[in-house]
Amino acid sequence: MKNYLIQMLHFTLLLVMACSQVHAASLNIEVLGVSNTEGQIVISVYTSEGQFLKTPLVSKTVPARSPSTSLHLTDLPNGSLAVGVFHDQNSNKKLDTNFIGIPKEPNGVSNNALGKYGPKKLMTQNSI
C-alpha cells in the first residue's frame, strides 16, 4: 500500500490550457513520474461531473515514456475540462483494481483532486 501511495504522489499531471478566439481549445498534457516504459498511458478528457470517469469526451492512448509522457489535444470545447490519466502497465486497456476497487496501476487527475472513500470528484474543482 505504501508503494502504491508513493507512485500516486509521483504520478503528477501538469496541465496547460490555451483557448483561442475560434470556440476551440487545445490542451498540452505532460504526465510526470512515469516509472517505466511498460504498457501505455491512457488519457481521458471530460466536460461534466456526470461524465467524469464514465464517458470521456476524448480518450487517447500513447506509449509510456519514462520519465514523462506528453500529448497535445486540439479542437476541445471552451469551458471547464477535467483530465484523468492512468499507466496501463499490462496494456489490457483498463485500470486494474484490487478486490475492493482500489487502483493497482498508477493514476491521477487534473488539479491533483483527491477522493475520500471513493472515486475522485474532479469537476467540483472548476476547470484545469
Side-chain angles (χ1 to χ4, degrees), residues 63-78:
R65 291 189 181 90
S66 181
S68 68
T69 302
S70 299
L71 178 68
H72 180 76
L73 298 172
T74 58
D75 298 325
L76 298 171
N78 285 325

Side-chain angles (χ1 to χ4, degrees), residues 13 15 52-53 83-85 107-114 120 122:
L13 293 175
L15 302 169
F52 187 61
L53 299 180
V83 175
V85 62
N107 64 86
V109 295
S110 51
N111 289 340
N112 291 323
L114 300 174
K120 296 165 171 121
L122 181 64

Side-chain angles (χ1 to χ4, degrees), residues 38-49:
E38 295 174 9
Q40 54 204 7
I41 303 295
V42 179
I43 299 168
S44 300
V45 177
Y46 304 88
T47 57
S48 73
E49 181 69 38

Side-chain angles (χ1 to χ4, degrees), residues 69-97:
T69 302
S70 299
L71 178 68
H72 180 76
L73 298 172
T74 58
D75 298 325
L76 298 171
N78 285 325
S80 295
L81 297 173
V83 175
V85 62
F86 72 95
H87 186 174
D88 185 12
Q89 294 175 324
N90 57 5
S91 297
N92 66 351
K93 298 183 174 40
K94 66 176 189 170
L95 176 63
D96 296 326
T97 60

